[in-house]
Amino acid sequence: MNSTSVARNVLLYVAAMFITSCGTATFTKTGSDATIESLRSFQLAFIDEFAVRGKKFNAAAFNAKVNEGNAKFQQAIADEKFTARRPVLVDLKAQFDADAAHLKSKASHGKITPALAGEMKKDVNKIYDHALGR
């Protein structure tokens, strides 16, 4: 083989590897995006369930839902294959924890206002959009 054909074969091999790895990264990121969207849906539903004006605060139900959320976030972090997304998921978990603590404080003292759920959901959507690079 002459050097031109070797160089051409090496270039084709490198290009094939690059294209294959890009496809894999996109697939992984797409799965990661779906996980983040699932966590967003959970957190928004959590707010809808517990940020209700006039609803009696049920600590047992609240704690059970927080535990469910914690499990979902921990599983998402453990399953994440796109390494750069793990810190993002950790940050989203911290935000869920902060929102849960804030909601617990407001709900347990009967201080749920009509605007609370809307503001919390707006903030959650902004944070998740940022995590997804939107």
Side-chain angles (χ1 to χ4, degrees), residues 6-74:
V6 170
R8 182 178 54 96
N9 288 342
V10 168
L11 181 61
L12 289 173
Y13 176 77
V14 169
M17 291 300 291
F18 179 76
I19 290 168
T20 303
S21 69
C22 286
T24 303
T26 301
F27 174 77
T28 302
K29 190 170 184 282
T30 301
S32 179
D33 285 357
T35 298
I36 289 174
E37 287 295 353
S38 173
L39 293 170
R40 178 199 312 243
S41 293
F42 176 84
Q43 193 162 350
L44 291 172
F46 174 78
I47 292 167
D48 283 340
E49 184 174 348
F50 294 102
V52 178
R53 185 176 184 172
K55 181 179 177 182
K56 185 175 179 338
F57 181 69
N58 181 336
F62 182 87
N63 291 333
K65 193 58 90 169
V66 168
N67 289 339
E68 180 184 346
N70 288 335
K72 285 180 181 294
F73 278 96
Q74 292 302 329

Side-chain angles (χ1 to χ4, degrees), residues 4 9 14 16 29 49 57-58 63 80 82 84-85 90 100 109 111 115 124 126:
T4 305
N9 288 342
V14 169
K29 190 170 184 282
E49 184 174 348
F57 181 69
N58 181 336
N63 291 333
E80 184 57 58
F82 194 57
R85 280 284 174 92
V90 170
H109 293 100
K111 297 193 183 234
V124 164
K126 186 185 296 183

Side-chain angles (χ1 to χ4, degrees), residues 112-124:
I112 299 291
T113 65
L116 180 66
E119 284 298 314
M120 289 182 78
K121 289 169 70 172
K122 184 175 93 178
D123 291 344
V124 164

Side-chain angles (χ1 to χ4, degrees), residues 73 77 85-97 127 131:
F73 278 96
I77 293 165
R85 280 284 174 92
R86 286 189 191 122
V88 172
L89 290 168
V90 170
D91 289 346
L92 293 174
K93 163 91 170 69
Q95 185 62 48
F96 173 73
D97 293 343
I127 290 163

